[in-house]
Amino acid sequence: QKGPDYQYDAYISCCGQDYEWVVKILLVKLEEEGESHFRLCFGPRDFAPGEYFMNNVQNGISQSRKTLCLVSKSYLENEWCSLEIQLACSKIYYHGQDPLVVVFLEDIPNYRLSPYHRLRKLIKQNCYINWPENPEAENVFWAKLREALEDSREQEPSLIQFKVIK
């Protein structure tokens, strides 16, 4: 699937402890502010009521061009989040595209990532974004995140290289 076939620009994969940050900051920044407004699938808001959770997750990921993984220590301990990464990674094999956009919301020691092969590979390639500790770097963070989520309908999918922002 490409471009207009997708209902969403990105599926947001995050744990419950990060919902407040997603609602108060991320959704506002990406859906309402800036030149381009993104269509994001956020489970608590967009999942079909009464549908099995697993079906909602599969539908959300398959109807999204990308999966935005908001990684925190709590995220790595959540089995549903692990499943979301696996489902998103299956798009690499079935559609030949890499749909993951990874944001680390806090410092994560390497040993905590050992069960997550795809996340480790992205880290080795510097293909991720860190939420900055310095508030002055937040504008650069949002610009990099927007770049990662931008619609590349005319281009072949490729990995976007990021410099790690501290």
Side-chain angles (χ1 to χ4, degrees):
Q1 287 181 316
K2 284 198 170 191
D5 296 329
Y6 289 110
Q7 182 176 350
Y8 301 104
D9 293 308
Y11 172 86
I12 299 174
S13 175
C14 65
C15 67
Q17 289 88 330
D18 298 319
Y19 282 0
E20 184 177 351
W21 184 82
V22 170
V23 170
K24 290 184 176 177
I25 297 173
L26 184 101
L27 293 177
V28 172
K29 289 281 187 187
L30 295 178
E31 290 184 331
E32 299 171 16
E33 295 180 6
E35 290 178 23
S36 55
H37 296 228
F38 293 95
R39 295 163 300 167
L40 303 174
C41 179
F42 179 54
R45 176 189 70 187
D46 298 314
F47 282 175
E51 182 67 65
Y52 285 113
F53 183 78
M54 188 64 211
N55 291 347
N56 271 320
V57 170
Q58 285 180 313
N59 290 337
I61 290 172
S62 67
Q63 293 171 2
S64 301
R65 276 187 309 101
K66 305 222 177 230
T67 298
L68 175 56
C69 299
L70 303 174
V71 182
S72 61
K73 290 174 185 149
S74 299
Y75 181 93
L76 295 175
E77 295 167 1
N78 187 304
E79 290 180 31
W80 287 112
C81 295
S82 174
L83 184 64
E84 289 173 347
I85 289 177
Q86 291 172 29
L87 287 171
C89 285
S90 70
K91 285 176 110 172
I92 297 169
Y93 303 111
Y94 294 117
H95 301 292
Q97 66 188 50
D98 191 345
L100 289 185
V101 175
V102 178
V103 172
F104 285 95
L105 297 178
E106 59 187 329
D107 283 334
I108 307 286
N110 281 340
Y111 75 89
R112 297 284 300 270
L113 297 171
S114 56
Y116 296 90
H117 172 72
R118 185 72 194 132
L119 287 180
R120 283 196 335 264
K121 188 173 181 182
L122 289 170
I123 287 168
K124 286 180 183 173
Q125 296 171 334
N126 277 338
C127 293
Y128 61 94
I129 312 169
N130 277 334
W131 175 252
E133 292 176 15
N134 181 351
E136 292 176 10
E138 287 181 19
N139 285 340
V140 174
F141 168 84
W142 292 113
K144 290 290 185 187
L145 183 54
R146 285 180 167 283
E147 179 184 336
L149 294 174
E150 278 299 323
D151 191 354
S152 56
R153 291 177 188 148
E154 293 94 36
Q155 304 169 4
E156 286 299 309
S158 63
L159 282 176
I160 297 172
Q161 287 291 105
F162 295 105
K163 295 222 183 311
V164 179
I165 302 169
K166 292 274 179 186

